[in-house]
Amino acid sequence: MTLWQGRFAGRPHEALLAFTASLPFDRRLAADDLAGSRAHVRGLGRAGLLDDDEAAAVVAALDAVEIELAEGSFTFAPDDEDVHTAVERRVTELAGPAGAKLHTGRSRNDQVATDLRLWCKRELAAVAGTVVDLQAVLLGRAAEVGDAYLPGYTHLQRAQPVLVAHHLLAHGWALARDVDRLLDARRRLDVCPLGAGALAGSSLPLDPDGVAADLGFAGRFENSLDAVSDRDFAAESLFALALLGVHLSRLGEEVVWWASEEVGFLRLDDAWATGSSMLPQKKNPDVAELARGKAGRLVGHVTAVLTTLKGLPLAYNRDLQETQEPLFDAVDQLRLALAALAGLLASATVRTDRMARAADGPTGAAVDLAEHLVEAGTPFREAHAVVADLVRRSLEAGEDLADLVAAHPDLGPAAAALLAPGVAVTRRTTPGGAGPAPVAVQMERFRARLADDRQRLDGPAPA
Ligand code: ARG
């Protein structure tokens, strides 16, 4: 029996239940549904709507349901439309008449909104924790490669050498913003909708403030219509998750490229690479490719939820059920991707010899030559032209740039020395820049940021 059968003369059509049921996916809200129900029962007790014996009977039944679900002995009935129905049905079977009071003053509309917010609070923090784990891998590798350097690129053309640590930490800082965004979204969704009922609150003496506090929410809803129809938190969480996915995608793309034979900056560990069913020689970066590929569906989830929400009148509409699966999938995919990328990056061999060779090309220090002239008083635009001319002559005539520089009256041997392997990167001294001195400072700041974020995650719910 559905919860609403009484209004209807006949049974719902099988095809209706098949189309509208959410149980196949919302059963993963069971723990949160039970938590919400326990708090609701305690609230009903405080309001005198359940006596002590009744409240104890319902709580015992909720405990039994929890055990049955954990053991896998919980039997779902064909008419269990969703997890809320299944739990209430079973509680009523176990607790008898007291069980029939569980839904007093409550609707599945405020119930599902509560469950989903509880779920998001926990899962966004869990994802953020996994992001910090990946950041720790990036930091570890950055510390380990010391002063190794590689070409930095713009337009995928070699531009200036940068420390490998600097490059790795660039991805790390993007992830730091993701952690911040996830926790910020979490802070905003920390509102308890219970007590809003179907849409308008209740004639019964409910205590939404007490229930919100009992469930560990920062506060209760301000407006019952908003409470049951608001899924901003789903859209916002999905955006934060999608942007995290985009960052993993960009990181994945670099791993793919770095691991190519043409570039050869990275050698993947066997445990984190895949082979080909046909080509015996292949060693493929499938983890990095899927980290890149998953971003597509994550971005799709944001679009899907925003599109679902855009035309909805107040208050609850069944369309809102469509916000659940994108959230579940985004969190699942990202947790898998983060763990796999962390494993890949922790175990890959960074081929610093090949990186240095690529960065020590003759033009990597071209701007240093121009800046050498600037230090002697030449306006930068003129200096740029002088060096550009030497670079062009070197390329056209096949002459060594260093020889041309050494022979130039305004440059000479001191300037030519800037072209020696490994010199250019040491001259990036700007705070936040790519050379050893600022990178050492940056690394300590990043380390401190990770420690702070770990504390934010382990501590009490962020304010
Ligand atoms: N499974 C439903 C959902 O996720 C629960 C709420 C059902 N409410 C209703 N009025 N039919 O939205």
Side-chain angles (χ1 to χ4, degrees):
M1 263 239 297
T2 60
L3 296 174
W4 36 266
Q5 191 58 49
R7 159 74 176 75
F8 292 83
R11 271 192 49 77
H13 198 287
E14 286 311 309
L16 175 140
L17 285 177
F19 182 52
T20 58
S22 51
L23 187 62
F25 53 86
D26 72 11
R27 61 176 71 188
R28 66 189 288 172
L29 294 174
D32 300 300
D33 201 66
L34 289 165
S37 287
R38 288 192 181 100
H40 181 61
V41 169
R42 287 189 286 265
L44 293 176
R46 290 195 299 278
L49 295 162
L50 252 63
D51 66 28
D52 288 352
D53 290 346
E54 288 170 326
V58 177
V59 168
L62 289 165
D63 292 346
V65 166
E66 181 169 31
I67 291 167
E68 288 181 5
L69 284 166
E71 288 176 344
S73 60
F74 189 100
T75 324
F76 290 98
D79 283 355
D80 287 345
E81 288 181 274
D82 51 32
V83 69
H84 328 291
T85 309
V87 170
E88 187 183 333
R89 172 190 55 75
R90 185 66 184 137
V91 165
T92 311
E93 286 167 11
L94 293 168
K101 294 191 171 184
L102 168 60
H103 213 52
T104 307
R106 186 178 73 171
S107 159
R108 282 181 297 163
N109 300 351
D110 56 349
Q111 191 179 355
V112 67
T114 304
D115 293 2
L116 207 51
R117 284 173 187 264
L118 285 172
W119 187 89
C120 283
K121 277 182 70 176
R122 184 179 57 253
E123 296 296 329
L124 293 187
V127 171
T130 320
V131 175
V132 175
D133 293 340
L134 175 59
Q135 290 177 290
V137 169
L138 288 168
L139 175 63
R141 298 309 312 253
E144 180 192 315
V145 293
D147 285 349
Y149 55 92
L150 81 166
Y153 299 84
T154 65
H155 315 273
L156 210 50
Q157 308 288 322
R158 286 179 195 165
Q160 284 181 282
V162 299
L163 284 199
V164 179
H166 193 59
H167 193 113
L168 294 172
L169 290 183
H171 288 292
W173 289 109
L175 295 172
R177 293 191 294 276
D178 292 321
V179 170
D180 204 41
R181 229 178 327 263
L182 289 166
L183 294 181
D184 195 39
R186 188 180 184 277
R187 181 180 57 77
R188 225 178 333 276
L189 67 79
D190 197 5
V191 175
C192 185
L194 263 189
L199 74 164
S202 172
S203 64
L204 301 168
L206 303 178
D207 170 24
D209 288 295
V211 174
D214 188 354
L215 280 171
F217 280 106
R220 66 157 166 87
F221 61 94
E222 295 289 348
N223 177 308
S224 62
L225 291 172
D226 186 40
V228 293
S229 65
D230 172 21
R231 293 293 183 280
D232 291 2
F233 68 92
E236 197 179 343
S237 299
L238 282 167
F239 171 73
L241 294 165
L243 190 48
L244 166 59
V246 166
H247 291 148
L248 298 186
S249 176
R250 294 181 72 170
L251 181 54
E253 162 59 13
E254 295 211 311
V255 169
V256 170
W257 186 57
W258 281 13
S260 72
E261 246 171 279
E262 281 66 21
V263 176
F265 289 172
L266 212 57
R267 190 182 295 115
L268 301 185
D269 186 81
D270 281 4
W272 295 100
T274 48
S276 159
S277 60
M278 178 177 170
L279 308 175
Q281 83 281 14
K282 291 304 294 292
K283 185 167 173 185
N284 293 328
D286 288 27
V287 164
E289 290 169 67
L290 277 171
R292 190 177 59 187
K294 296 284 184 190
R297 74 200 264 181
L298 295 168
V299 172
H301 290 334
V302 183
T303 311
V305 164
L306 286 173
T307 310
T308 295
L309 296 181
K310 76 169 269 297
L312 293 185
L314 294 177
Y316 178 84
N317 299 274
R318 191 66 176 266
D319 317 44
L320 294 176
Q321 186 171 287
E322 286 295 306
T323 59
Q324 295 187 27
E325 284 169 290
L327 275 171
F328 299 157
D329 184 64
V331 164
D332 289 345
Q333 297 304 324
L334 281 167
R335 290 180 79 161
L336 293 169
L338 286 159
L341 263 183
L344 178 149
L345 288 169
S347 60
T349 306
V350 182
R351 302 177 70 189
T352 51
D353 52 332
R354 287 189 58 101
M355 291 174 162
R357 218 174 309 144
D360 284 333
T363 52
V367 80
D368 294 86
L369 296 174
E371 286 172 1
H372 180 84
L373 291 171
V374 165
E375 273 170 328
T378 311
F380 178 75
R381 191 49 55 217
E382 270 175 45
H384 183 286
V386 168
V387 178
D389 182 59
L390 291 182
V391 168
R392 188 173 40 76
R393 273 168 50 203
S394 149
L395 291 172
E396 279 172 9
E399 276 182 77
D400 196 29
L401 182 64
D403 294 342
L404 294 177
V405 170
H408 192 282
D410 298 332
L411 288 161
L418 298 177
L419 300 179
V423 172
V425 74
T426 64
R427 294 171 52 82
R428 305 277 83 79
T429 51
T430 312
V439 168
V441 175
Q442 179 193 164
M443 203 177 293
E444 287 323 304
R445 289 166 82 121
F446 189 76
R447 198 186 301 282
R449 172 65 184 268
L450 284 200
D452 275 0
D453 281 346
R454 282 230 196 266
Q455 204 164 18
R456 279 210 280 173
L457 287 164
D458 294 344

